[in-house]
């Protein structure tokens, strides 16, 4: 089901695992940021937001880099546009996040990611 220009299926699987791990880390950071902001009052929110948002931003860059590698190597399923979906997911598109999660599910790495949203 996957097309792979890499020629090395083991390397392709490693890149998919790396992507899904980073997608899951970004989701965790995003959810932690949302929970931290909700749990703080307005006077304390600035310090928590700065720290949490920095971690989320770092995780977002990492997952976009990993999706760029998959895109560059042609390691996608069923005409998926993993780079576009990842960039859009990081930008807040829940549908794109669901497609990225679905990619990990179909790659066999469903335990590394959460549900979209």
């Amino acid at each position: 089901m996957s097309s792979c220009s890499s020629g090395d299926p083991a390397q392709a699987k490693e890149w998919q695992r790396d992507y899904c791990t980073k997608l899951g880390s970004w989701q965790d950071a995003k959810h932690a940021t949302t929970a931290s902001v909700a749990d703080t009052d307005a006077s304390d929110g600035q310090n928590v937001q700065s720290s949490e948002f920095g971690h989320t931003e770092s995780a977002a860059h990492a997952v976009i880099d990993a999706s760029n590698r998959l895109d560059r190597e042609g390691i996608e399923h069923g005409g998926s546009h993993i780079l576009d979906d990842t960039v859009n997911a990081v930008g807040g598109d829940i549908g794109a996040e669901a497609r990225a999660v679905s990619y990990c599910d179909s790659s066999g790495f469903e335990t590394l990611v959460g549900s979209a949203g």
Side-chain angles (χ1 to χ4, degrees):
M1 183 170 182
S2 68
S3 68
C4 177
S5 66
S6 152
D8 182 0
Q11 181 63 62
K13 204 66 168 167
E14 179 62 26
W15 286 333
Q16 289 171 324
R17 185 191 62 73
D18 181 60
Y19 169 76
C20 295
T21 299
K22 288 177 178 170
L23 179 64
S25 294
W26 168 75
Q27 288 180 310
D28 290 346
K30 178 182 73 157
H31 294 304
T33 300
T34 303
S36 293
V37 171
D39 290 343
T40 58
D41 61 49
S43 65
D44 294 328
Q46 199 64 21
N47 291 339
V48 171
Q49 286 179 4
S50 175
S51 171
E52 294 293 336
F53 286 134
H55 181 66
T56 303
E57 186 174 312
S58 174
H61 287 296
V63 73
I64 289 170
D65 288 346
S67 70
N68 190 32
R69 180 174 46 220
L70 293 177
D71 183 64
R72 186 176 56 244
E73 296 296 329
I75 305 169
E76 298 187 347
H77 293 285
S80 168
H81 299 286
I82 196 68
L83 177 59
D84 292 338
D85 284 340
T86 304
V87 169
N88 291 332
V90 166
D93 182 336
I94 300 297
E97 183 179 349
R99 289 187 298 276
V101 166
S102 178
Y103 174 85
C104 290
D105 289 348
S106 65
S107 297
F109 297 110
E110 62 278 352
T111 60
L112 298 176
V113 295
S115 61

